[in-house]
Amino acid sequence: MLRITVTKEGGSPQVSTFDKREITVGRTTANDLVIAEPGVSSHHARILFTGDGVTLIDLESTNGTFVNGDRIRGPALVEPGDEVYICAYRLDFELGGSSSQAAPPLMEGPPPMVGQPPMMEGPPPMVGQPPMSPEYPTPADLGPPPLGGSASSDGPPPMIGGGDGGLPPMLDMPPLLEAPPPVQPGPAPVEAMPPIEAPPPIAAPPPVEAPPPLEPPADLPPPIAPPPVAPPAPVEDDRPSSLVSGQISPLESPPPAVAPTPPPDIPVSPDVPAPSVMPAEPTPAPIPRPTLVSEPTPTPMPIVAPLGPAPVSGPSLVAYLPQPAAAVVAPPPSEDLSDLKGPGAGPQACSRVFALVRYHLAPDGSLPHRDATTRAQARGEAQRLFTELAERVPEIQARPWANRLANELCGLGALSAPLAETGVRSIFVHGPGRVLVLREGEETPTPADAKFSCPEAVELVVRRLTGRPFGPEHPLVDARSSEGADVRAIHGSLTSPGPLVTIHRARVDAEPRGLEALVQRRALPSGMATLLCHCVHAGLNILVCGGPGARVFSWLAALAAEAPPDQRQVFVRPGPEPEPLPANAVVIHSDGMPLAGAGFTGAQQAMRAALALAPDRLVAHDVAGPEASDVVAAMGRSLSGALVSLRASSADAGLSRLAALAGLTGDAPDAAARARQVAQTVDVVLAVSRFADGRTRVTQLAEATVSSAGTAQAVELVTYQPNTGRWSPTGVAPSFFAALQRRGIAVDVGLLGE
């Protein structure tokens, strides 16, 4: 019998008892031991129990099985005291006798050897009284004292029923100390029990030897309990700590007794610790209290060998060792496709055929190879199955569908062509039937002339791109492919159209595009681009306000590309962006930043980490929370300028929003004071909007100032005329012109025009 205790830190243990040689562990109900945790694989591990040992085999699980902190590869013999973990769950093993041959109850075997104190709990026995065993019946169970029996120090107590023959030694029970009959005066108790001159049924300290007449005969029949005696209740703390698994709970069969001297036909394993059976003190002492799970540091659970030989009726352990990967194979999909018939069964046919061919190529669940031989095998098997189905499903086209399925199994499927095109910036997969592509110079993505055969094909391609597991157990993927593309995927179990995938590509060899590229796209006038370039070199703080749907990060990247090449620039943004950046720029993603404490967001942590790098220029994209307070404070530091973007439809709305976000920390001054602080910190405000043709253009160039009334305002310098498609200066000379001229940059109002 094998008892397994599964414990998670902070939770209550779960004890399971098995009387079988092979036990499977996993997340699904098909396993013998179920651990309902997303990180546990469907079939995670296998436990082999031979009666005298435990062997643990990891079934190539995703998160692995660990013994003493090391991830096991193949079979591993679990030794006493080993720490076994599956994810956050600890497994403790305890071996006992088989349920068909249960071990005898405690203290129902031969009496302890003379010279060994019995295992008991309670006050020491009186002189002349035998020690009380916790397994003896209570006075309420026995009723009145036995006939002719009285406790005295003149000799051994008479046997139950009178006389000294005919009954087994187990019935020669002494009366209990609780509510005993009057005891004749005798010598006072002493610290150590002196040798007893009486006949030897009474255990005494050494060096008294047990007289031979009371040795139990070898052919003694099994002990028979008296009819009126009820079985003893479970004792919570009287068992050794090696027999306690997780928490104290009633056992299906009594645990094996650990006796100092076993009978001739019951050998004791040498793994049983000596201190649990032989106390050092000569006087009886209580057994050390076992460690419970509720205590702060639970002790490792050793494996206790069973008393007596364990029956072995199957193959030996060696037969299991060469087959660690056999149980990894998932059940093969059904090859019976007769239920697929009629119009509309095409999508289900693709999914079923994909699963069959995938299992044919890689039955262990790995990724199929990408060589020509494997591709030919996939194409041939898929075409054979599709040809058989085409007779019942009229929409099936055997050859084209087989080619597409082979490309998905041994390649990238519908993503092969977009990823091979150098001008593609982003790819969006909205379920298996829709793929969108965003190319260079375009503002909106266009549908691609390709689609996937089934949702399982999308999952396989994501695994091949990222090398990460992707499925119901791992529904979210945020990784980077080997080509440097940022891949984010959400499994179909969390979405309605199927798996959602977004791929952003940034060419490593691409040069950062400056403001001149925006001028060529008619996103801003050339004079404004020159003025903004001067502002970046002068170290002015620029705020970019993006309207609904406008791509704002490309404007920050263009402004950062105009900075001197010797400046260290630190970008803080929520996630990946496809725009190329200068070579001296470093990026911090705030979405993956760990939280430092309650009320402290990841964006705040990322912003403070960026400032700790002591950059020359700070670039903060999509400020949307209390991190705005750190951004405003950073603009006043000794930086060579700051570039900040947020969502706002106009320059005035951008200043107001930045001031409001800066007050979310709770320790800022009133709203009017914050608005004045923002207006005094920001120098230039740029508002961009997206138009009906899909392009993003500058709609406002303004200067942040404080009005005579003490309020913040944005003074327009250039406005966009939608009816003419041109930019018109307002004629206002900005105050930062003087600051530029003091730094040796000659500017005039004429730069504000086209």
Side-chain angles (χ1 to χ4, degrees):
M1 182 178 66
L2 177 64
R3 287 166 52 88
I4 304 177
T5 302
V6 181
T7 309
K8 184 178 182 181
E9 184 176 0
S12 59
Q14 297 180 358
V15 182
S16 303
T17 305
F18 302 93
D19 197 8
K20 55 190 303 186
R21 306 182 58 82
E22 181 175 345
I23 302 165
T24 58
V25 184
R27 178 175 46 82
T28 62
T29 56
N31 297 275
D32 300 316
L33 181 59
V34 179
I35 303 178
E37 181 75 14
V40 180
S41 299
S42 300
H43 300 279
H44 197 103
R46 183 172 58 175
I47 301 170
L48 304 180
F49 170 50
T50 59
D52 56 355
V54 173
T55 299
L56 186 63
I57 302 176
D58 182 77
L59 303 182
E60 296 186 5
S61 58
T62 302
N63 296 316
T65 305
F66 295 84
V67 178
N68 296 330
D70 297 328
R71 183 168 183 172
I72 62 174
R73 308 288 182 181
L77 184 63
V78 180
E79 300 291 342
D82 287 348
E83 294 185 357
V84 179
Y85 276 92
I86 293 179
C87 295
Y89 292 83
R90 174 172 174 168
L91 274 64
D92 295 329
F93 302 94
E94 177 185 347
L95 277 67
S98 176
S99 61
S100 60
Q101 298 182 3
L106 291 175
M107 303 301 295
E108 289 193 4
M113 179 179 178
V114 177
Q116 293 292 338
M119 300 173 63
M120 63 167 289
E121 181 175 345
M126 299 180 60
V127 176
Q129 288 291 340
M132 181 182 67
S133 170
E135 297 295 326
Y136 285 165
T138 62
D141 299 325
L142 291 178
L147 297 176
S150 62
S152 66
S153 58
D154 296 334
M159 300 174 60
I160 296 178
D164 55 353
L167 291 179
M170 282 307 299
L171 298 183
D172 294 359
M173 298 180 182
L176 299 178
L177 291 180
E178 297 182 14
V183 181
Q184 296 182 4
V190 291
E191 290 291 332
M193 293 178 58
I196 298 176
E197 299 291 338
I202 302 174
V208 177
E209 296 290 336
L214 293 181
E215 290 284 339
D219 56 348
L220 191 66
I224 303 175
V229 179
V235 182
E236 180 174 292
D237 292 333
D238 279 352
R239 293 181 290 165
S241 59
S242 60
L243 298 180
V244 180
S245 177
Q247 65 179 1
I248 305 298
S249 60
L251 304 179
E252 298 176 0
S253 59
V258 182
T261 303
D265 58 338
I266 303 180
V268 176
S269 171
D271 295 335
V272 179
S276 64
V277 298
M278 186 180 295
E281 297 293 334
T283 57
I287 302 302
R289 182 180 182 272
T291 302
L292 300 180
V293 174
S294 58
E295 296 179 359
T297 55
T299 57
M301 181 55 54
I303 298 177
V304 182
L307 294 180
V312 179
S313 58
S316 63
L317 177 61
V318 180
Y320 291 96
L321 297 182
Q323 310 171 18
V328 179
V329 180
S334 175
E335 297 186 2
D336 184 11
L337 305 178
S338 58
D339 58 327
L340 297 176
K341 59 183 65 175
Q348 188 177 2
C350 285
S351 181
R352 299 270 291 276
V353 171
F354 183 90
L356 284 170
V357 178
R358 178 182 176 181
Y359 184 84
H360 175 75
L361 299 178
D364 58 351
S366 61
L367 295 175
H369 297 292
R370 303 185 66 174
D371 56 281
T373 303
T374 306
R375 189 183 295 268
Q377 293 177 357
R379 185 184 302 108
E381 183 68 14
Q383 186 169 351
R384 180 185 69 83
L385 294 173
F386 280 133
T387 303
E388 296 176 359
L389 289 172
E391 301 176 358
R392 303 189 302 271
V393 183
E395 58 190 290
I396 289 181
Q397 303 175 19
R399 183 181 295 274
W401 286 23
N403 291 336
R404 181 177 62 180
L405 191 144
N407 190 25
E408 294 167 348
L409 285 167
C410 304
L412 299 178
L415 302 183
S416 299
L419 290 176
E421 187 177 344
T422 57
V424 173
R425 295 166 51 191
S426 301
I427 303 173
F428 307 94
V429 179
H430 295 176
R434 185 173 176 82
V435 179
L436 304 176
V437 176
L438 181 63
R439 294 178 173 84
E440 292 285 349
E442 297 180 354
E443 293 292 334
T444 57
T446 57
D449 188 16
K451 62 180 181 179
F452 289 91
S453 62
C454 57
E456 292 78 11
V458 182
E459 299 174 16
L460 189 67
V461 169
V462 171
R463 286 183 53 191
R464 193 180 295 278
L465 277 175
T466 62
R468 303 282 185 87
F470 184 52
E473 300 176 357
H474 303 274
L476 301 178
V477 171
D478 187 354
R480 176 164 292 184
S481 67
S482 58
E483 290 79 14
D486 295 310
V487 182
R488 289 183 174 182
I490 305 176
H491 190 257
S493 59
L494 303 180
T495 61
S496 55
L500 302 181
V501 185
T502 300
I503 303 175
H504 293 299
R505 303 176 62 192
R507 293 169 50 193
V508 180
D509 56 346
E511 292 293 332
R513 298 173 299 181
L515 295 173
E516 184 62 29
L518 298 178
V519 173
Q520 296 176 0
R521 291 161 51 184
R522 295 288 299 170
L524 79 164
S526 59
M528 188 185 300
T530 303
L531 177 61
L532 291 174
C533 183
H534 290 330
C535 293
V536 171
H537 278 266
L540 301 184
N541 298 321
I542 302 176
L543 175 65
V544 181
C545 305
R551 299 181 61 87
V552 184
F553 186 79
S554 59
W555 293 82
L556 288 182
L559 291 170
E562 301 294 342
D566 57 344
Q567 286 187 354
R568 294 177 57 252
Q569 302 186 72
V570 177
F571 284 72
V572 179
R573 61 189 186 187
E577 295 285 349
E579 297 294 333
L581 300 177
N584 57 350
V586 296
V587 181
I588 299 177
H589 289 169
S590 59
D591 282 354
M593 187 66 60
L595 302 182
F600 198 68
T601 65
Q604 286 178 285
Q605 180 79 344
M607 201 66 63
R608 297 185 183 187
L611 295 176
L613 298 177
D616 295 324
R617 187 181 303 274
L618 174 67
V619 183
H621 173 50
D622 201 7
V623 175
E627 70 274 9
S629 177
D630 298 304
V631 173
V632 174
M635 289 182 180
R637 297 185 181 181
S638 57
L639 297 175
S640 297
L643 304 176
V644 182
S645 71
L646 51 73
R647 288 294 170 181
S649 57
S650 63
D652 281 317
L655 292 176
S656 300
R657 179 174 173 79
L658 183 60
L661 294 175
L664 294 180
T665 54
D667 55 354
D670 58 276
R674 290 197 305 271
R676 288 193 299 269
Q677 180 184 2
V678 169
Q680 293 170 351
T681 304
V682 176
D683 298 310
V684 182
V685 184
L686 197 66
V688 297
S689 300
R690 182 178 179 180
F691 289 81
D693 58 357
R695 297 182 178 275
T696 301
R697 300 181 179 89
V698 172
T699 56
Q700 280 182 303
L701 177 64
E703 180 186 15
T705 61
V706 179
S707 66
S708 58
T711 59
Q713 65 177 1
V715 179
E716 285 189 327
L717 305 178
V718 178
T719 59
Y720 178 73
Q721 305 296 332
N723 54 346
T724 61
R726 303 180 64 86
W727 289 269
S728 303
T730 61
V732 178
S735 59
F736 60 79
F737 272 17
L740 296 177
Q741 292 175 352
R742 284 194 298 268
R743 301 183 188 186
I745 302 175
V747 293
D748 54 46
V749 181
L751 290 177
L752 299 178
E754 291 195 65

